[in-house]
């Protein structure tokens, strides 16, 4: 029957090695140098440092994402409240009336909509639900000047001549 303490000791040793590799990398050592110091290959160092970074960084990133989502949720709620309220047009400190009724102002609602869209975009980015962005790349290749073409042809001819001189046979 396998010794359960042995497996636990191996995990503890692996955790110590990963932490040591991570510290060496933080000190600026290359993967090969850190591997030499710990007596393992550079690929093992790469794996250990990635695992250690994931173990340290991913939980912190998840916590930060959670806090940001909570804040964005609060901002979203405030935006929805502004959107739900009735806003009246004010001029010179007085409510503007039309046909005896206060004139509603659509500006604050439109601003709230714009803000809500920005909040929703940020939430989508944090959650990773945005569609990937497509980019078009256009390349223009300018023709080479005749002088440059002549220099290249001359250099090739010299190179072929030098090769014939060295080997005694012509190239392809």
């Amino acid at each position: 029957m396998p010794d359960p303490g042995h497996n636990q000791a191996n995990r503890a040793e692996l955790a110590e090695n990963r932490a040591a590799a991570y510290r060496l990398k933080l000190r600026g050592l290359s993967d090969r140098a850190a591997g030499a110091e710990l007596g393992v290959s550079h690929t093992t160092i790469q794996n250990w440092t990635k695992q250690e970074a994931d173990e340290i960084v991913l939980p912190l990133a998840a916590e930060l994402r959670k806090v940001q989502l909570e804040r964005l949720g609060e901002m979203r709620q405030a935006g929805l409240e502004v959107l739900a309220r009735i806003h009246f047009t004010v001029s010179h400190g007085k409510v503007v009336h039309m046909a005896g009724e206060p004139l509603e102002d659509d500006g604050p609602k439109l601003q709230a909509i714009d803000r809500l869209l920005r909040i929703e975009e940020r939430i989508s980015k944090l959650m990773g639900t945005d569609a990937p962005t497509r980019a078009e790349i256009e390349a223009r290749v300018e023709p080479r000047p005749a002088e440059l073409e002549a220099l290249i042809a001359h250099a090739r001819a010299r190179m072929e001549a030098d090769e014939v001189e060295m080997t005694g046979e012509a190239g392809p």
Side-chain angles (χ1 to χ4, degrees), residues 9-150:
N10 286 346
R11 281 196 303 251
E13 184 179 342
L14 177 61
E16 287 176 24
N17 287 336
R18 283 181 10 199
Y22 190 77
R23 285 191 301 274
L24 291 173
K25 291 293 293 173
L26 286 176
R27 285 190 4 219
L29 269 67
S30 69
D31 292 334
R32 292 191 190 281
E37 190 161 320
L38 295 177
V40 295
S41 71
H42 70 282
T43 54
T44 299
I45 293 295
Q46 289 170 346
N47 291 335
W48 283 353
T49 53
K50 183 186 179 325
Q51 290 166 358
E52 188 71 8
D54 287 350
E55 193 171 296
I56 293 170
V57 173
L58 292 179
L60 294 175
E63 183 63 27
L64 176 60
R65 189 175 295 113
K66 179 182 170 191
V67 168
Q68 287 179 333
L69 285 171
E70 287 173 4
R71 287 183 188 152
L72 288 166
E74 292 168 4
M75 291 178 207
R76 184 176 180 278
Q77 185 58 43
L80 289 171
E81 290 171 10
V82 169
L83 191 60
R85 278 195 296 262
I86 297 174
H87 304 275
F88 297 111
T89 304
V90 176
S91 178
H92 302 292
K94 295 184 180 185
V95 175
V96 175
H97 288 76
M98 180 177 255
E101 294 293 319
L103 182 63
E104 282 191 39
D105 185 359
D106 294 331
K109 286 189 177 195
L110 294 173
Q111 289 174 348
I113 290 169
D114 287 343
R115 187 59 47 97
L116 286 166
L117 283 172
R118 288 178 54 202
I119 292 168
E120 293 293 338
E121 287 171 358
R122 183 67 187 126
I123 289 171
S124 292
K125 284 181 185 177
L126 276 174
M127 299 298 292
T129 57
D130 276 347
T133 304
R134 284 187 54 154
E136 284 189 33
I137 299 173
E138 182 180 320
R140 276 190 303 195
V141 178
E142 300 284 330
R144 292 189 228 173
E147 304 145 0
L148 183 57
E149 290 288 343

